[in-house]
């Protein structure tokens, strides 16, 4: 029943937000919905395709934060701020479409629709909790924590359990992992090599197989957060 309620709430929220949109835009792989620092005028709901949300760190390395797909909201952190500017980059990784909602109009709608405002606040709270858990692993456990956390999240989002381990059912490169961890590809390659030597993981055609998930969780003192907070979204 809880899952059905969540789905119902999501459908209500998304449908009401889409009603508030003024246009639907098409986007192509390799383009950007917006870039960090750009003046924020619109928030977006992904209707199809995929968008990668990222931020550049102080060293100029790209840190992947979210992988957005259908019904995900992008650009929401610009609401109710003075002179809003986008805090992140939103790069298109798969062709698709998005509903664009004027931020000022959306703020007015939220003021006048208490049910939508309540559901939107719940969604924002869940989103913030997911973001905090990612940064917690990076800050408390450094590069190793960031990598192990990413592997755990990959297993929750794309893992297929088999007799010999959890197969991550998407190809992922060392550079992709480095971007999720905010570190250098060489560091990720070294840590993956150590995990492979210890039999914790194996890699076959850019697809990772996790043989000892318990080890990864133990090393970062995993709190076993609900999967909805511990994934790649």
């Amino acid at each position: 029943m809880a899952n059905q309620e969540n789905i119902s709430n999501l459908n209500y929220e998304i449908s009401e937000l889409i009603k508030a949109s003024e246009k639907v835009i098409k986007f192509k792989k390799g383009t950007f919905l917006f870039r960090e620092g750009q003046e924020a005028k619109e928030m977006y709901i992904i209707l199809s395709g995929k968008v990668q949300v990222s931020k550049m760190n102080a060293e100029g390395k790209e840190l992947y934060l979210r992988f957005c797909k259908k019904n995900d909201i992008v650009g929401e952190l610009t609401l109710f701020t003075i002179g809003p500017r986008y805090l992140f980059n939103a790069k298109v990784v798969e062709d698709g479409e998005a509903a664009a909602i004027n931020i000022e109009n959306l703020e007015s709608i939220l003021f006048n629709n208490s049910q939508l405002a309540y559901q939107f606040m719940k969604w924002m709270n869940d989103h913030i909790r997911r973001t905090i858990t990612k940064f917690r692993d990076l800050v408390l456990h450094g590069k190793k924590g960031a990598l192990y956390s990413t592997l755990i999240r990959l297993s929750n989002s794309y893992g297929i359990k088999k007799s010999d381990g959890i197969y991550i059912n998407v190809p992922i490169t060392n550079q992709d992992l480095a971007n999720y961890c905010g570190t250098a590809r060489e560091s990720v390659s070294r840590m993956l090599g150590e995990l492979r030597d210890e039999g914790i993981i194996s890699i076959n055609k850019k697809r990772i197989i996790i043989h000892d998930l318990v080890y990864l969780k133990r090393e970062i003192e995993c709190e076993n957060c609900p999967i909805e907070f511990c994934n790649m979204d």
Side-chain angles (χ1 to χ4, degrees), residues 1 9 22 38 60 68 77 84 93-94 107 116 122 133 138 150 152 161 164 172 181 186 188 197 214 226-227:
M1 291 296 293
N9 289 339
E22 298 180 339
Q38 178 183 336
C68 303
L77 295 180
V93 294
E94 181 183 288
E107 290 174 350
L116 178 60
K122 286 180 63 178
T133 61
L138 178 60
T150 299
I152 293 168
K161 291 184 179 180
D164 59 338
I172 189 164
C181 299
E186 293 77 11
V188 167
D197 291 343
V214 173
I227 289 179

Side-chain angles (χ1 to χ4, degrees), residues 32 34-36 52-56 87-91:
F32 288 81
F34 53 80
R35 292 179 182 267
E36 182 178 347
Q52 180 71 65
V53 176
S54 66
K55 187 173 182 64
M56 301 299 291
L87 302 177
F88 308 112
N89 298 307
K91 184 177 182 179

Side-chain angles (χ1 to χ4, degrees), residues 155 158-167 213:
S155 74
Y158 308 112
I160 297 176
K161 291 184 179 180
K162 297 187 178 181
S163 59
D164 59 338
I166 301 173
Y167 284 64
L213 186 64

